[in-house]
Amino acid sequence: MKIEAIKAALPTKKLTNDDVLALIEEYSKPVFSGDLKTALSKINFFLRYSGSDVRYWLDKNEKPIDLVNRAFQEALAEANCDKDDIDLLVYTGIGRGFIEPAAAYHVAAYLGLQHAECFDILDACMSWTRVLNIVYSLFKAGRYKRALIVNAECNMHYGGPVFPTVFQLPNVEAIEWSFPAYTLGEAATATIVSYDPDQEWEFHFKSRPDLAELCNVPLIGYEGYCTPSERIGLNGINKFTSFGVELHANAYPEFINIFNRLKAPVKEIRAVFPHASSKREWDKVAEALNIKHLMWHIYPTCGNVVSASVPTGIASAISAKQIQRGDRIAIWVGSAGMSFSSCSFIY
């Protein structure tokens, strides 16, 4: 499988850590019980400790589909192919406008892809990496020749799963299950891949369903679909609840184990692209494996853009000439679920 093109589009509204803190203060004031200044100071410390700096959200006149179209048009031009050459479109990630039908159908209609088969894959922040593995298998089975993978991780709109509800802190204790919301940014990506029998990819995955309660956006009636837990839905139905510290604490040994499963020699790897959940936490694991010098982070400049993290990172590294054709690169992801993956291939 060959990546013919990979592009990312960011919205234009830039928010610093101070902007986020101001929003938390604004929305928490009417409901907060305790010392709000102490809570804000704590959040400020965590943001800067994690390596957070800026992130981008959609402005008033911007739409997720606009970002998708921008990324797609740039990818199509670079891949030097026609829309009709794409025979599969997969929409992936958390950000979406539809539960039914698959978002891929609406995206295909908007982009003018009349000959592509469509479906969605949803696996939290692992979504994009999971799709790559599935498409790779479909290529090897002879089902398709060229695929477009798109996502639009635009989850910060008013009334959505994060804003402003998770910015309305009731007390300092709620930071424990709300902090990851303050690191989120928005982005859309478009990746065009094609079948190439000479390009082998290596994928490894591991699931930890015993940790499923640590990060959720539950729907109405979710209780009938799981083992009940007091941790699920602490911020409300259809709202984001995430225990960030515990996620990374549990992930640390899993990150090491999944990366060590790669057969590709580390000395051959030009760059490693992690999920953008925390620069500090990922660097801790990278230091343990002596690969910190290979890490390419977008967390400080884009925030956590969910399943768009890795493709946005790869696109930015290409633009910065950090990687070029013929380089071996690695993907390293941890996600709600929990799930963990490592992947290696030649770009």
Side-chain angles (χ1 to χ4, degrees):
M1 182 168 72
K2 176 184 177 182
I3 291 183
E4 294 189 326
I6 182 167
K7 297 293 182 178
L10 300 178
T12 60
K13 185 178 179 180
K14 180 179 179 180
L15 291 92
T16 65
N17 288 338
D18 288 340
D19 293 326
V20 169
L21 289 167
L23 287 170
I24 298 170
E25 182 176 20
E26 176 186 351
Y27 285 99
S28 297
K29 269 184 178 180
V31 298
F32 194 85
S33 175
D35 187 347
L36 181 55
K37 286 187 177 180
T38 297
L40 292 171
S41 178
K42 188 174 184 178
I43 294 169
N44 182 44
F45 172 79
F46 287 152
L47 285 171
R48 300 181 195 287
Y49 178 85
S50 69
S52 174
D53 189 5
V54 299
R55 71 284 285 149
Y56 294 85
W57 295 0
L58 291 170
D59 213 339
K60 293 179 181 179
N61 297 320
E62 293 178 308
K63 298 182 292 186
I65 196 67
D66 295 334
L67 299 186
V68 172
N69 186 50
R70 191 202 316 166
F72 170 65
Q73 296 301 333
E74 291 179 2
L76 194 66
E78 182 170 306
N80 194 28
C81 65
D82 188 81
K83 291 181 180 181
D84 290 343
D85 295 328
I86 297 171
D87 50 9
L88 174 65
L89 188 155
V90 185
Y91 186 93
T92 189
I94 298 168
R96 56 188 52 246
F98 296 88
I99 293 178
E100 181 188 355
Y105 294 100
H106 286 285
V107 172
Y110 188 91
L111 299 180
L113 302 181
Q114 297 301 320
H115 302 288
E117 290 189 29
C118 304
F119 63 83
D120 287 5
I121 293 291
L122 175 59
D123 189 14
C125 295
M126 187 64 72
S127 295
W128 187 82
T129 310
R130 188 74 71 179
V131 172
L132 281 179
N133 184 219
I134 292 171
V135 170
Y136 180 67
S137 299
L138 290 172
F139 280 163
K140 291 177 76 71
R143 293 287 303 279
Y144 307 98
K145 294 182 178 179
R146 181 176 279 110
L148 170 66
I149 304 167
V150 297
N151 54 15
E153 292 292 14
C154 299
N155 301 297
M156 304 306 291
H157 56 280
Y158 192 94
V162 179
F163 187 77
T165 301
V166 190
F167 281 60
Q168 296 171 326
L169 281 174
N171 50 54
V172 70
E173 289 77 17
I175 296 173
E176 180 184 357
W177 55 83
S178 302
F179 174 76
Y182 312 140
T183 71
L184 295 173
E186 297 184 320
T189 69
T191 306
I192 298 176
V193 290
S194 61
Y195 175 62
D196 186 339
D198 297 325
Q199 294 288 339
E200 293 289 329
W201 289 48
E202 180 184 3
F203 291 94
H204 301 282
F205 292 90
K206 182 180 179 181
S207 296
R208 285 286 308 275
D210 58 303
L211 301 174
E213 67 177 9
L214 293 182
C215 190
N216 289 269
V217 180
L219 301 174
I220 293 174
Y222 78 89
E223 301 92 340
Y225 293 84
C226 68
T227 301
S229 168
E230 62 180 13
R231 291 184 158 194
I232 299 174
L234 280 174
N235 282 325
I237 302 300
N238 293 315
K239 304 303 177 184
F240 180 59
T241 297
S242 181
F243 292 82
V245 172
E246 288 190 58
L247 286 167
H248 276 285
N250 282 282
Y252 186 92
E254 300 291 356
F255 285 155
I256 290 176
N257 291 336
I258 203 72
F259 191 89
N260 281 335
R261 289 174 64 181
L262 288 175
K263 296 177 183 177
V266 172
K267 64 181 180 180
E268 294 182 4
I269 297 174
R270 170 68 175 172
V272 177
F273 297 91
H275 170 47
S277 54
S278 168
K279 181 180 184 298
R280 172 82 63 150
E281 295 300 326
W282 278 103
D283 276 348
K284 284 182 183 178
V285 195
E287 284 178 348
L289 294 172
N290 196 29
I291 59 170
K292 185 179 177 182
H293 61 291
L294 298 176
M295 300 291 278
W296 182 265
H297 292 286
I298 62 163
Y299 179 75
T301 55
C302 299
N304 181 348
V305 287
V306 200
S307 75
S309 294
V310 171
T312 299
I314 295 174
S316 69
I318 294 170
S319 179
K321 302 188 184 306
Q322 178 69 17
I323 59 173
Q324 57 186 352
R325 291 293 181 182
D327 286 342
R328 176 170 292 281
I329 66 176
I331 295 169
W332 201 12
V333 179
S335 170
M338 287 184 77
S339 63
F340 309 90
S341 74
S342 59
C343 166
S344 178
F345 63 96
I346 301 295
Y347 168 63

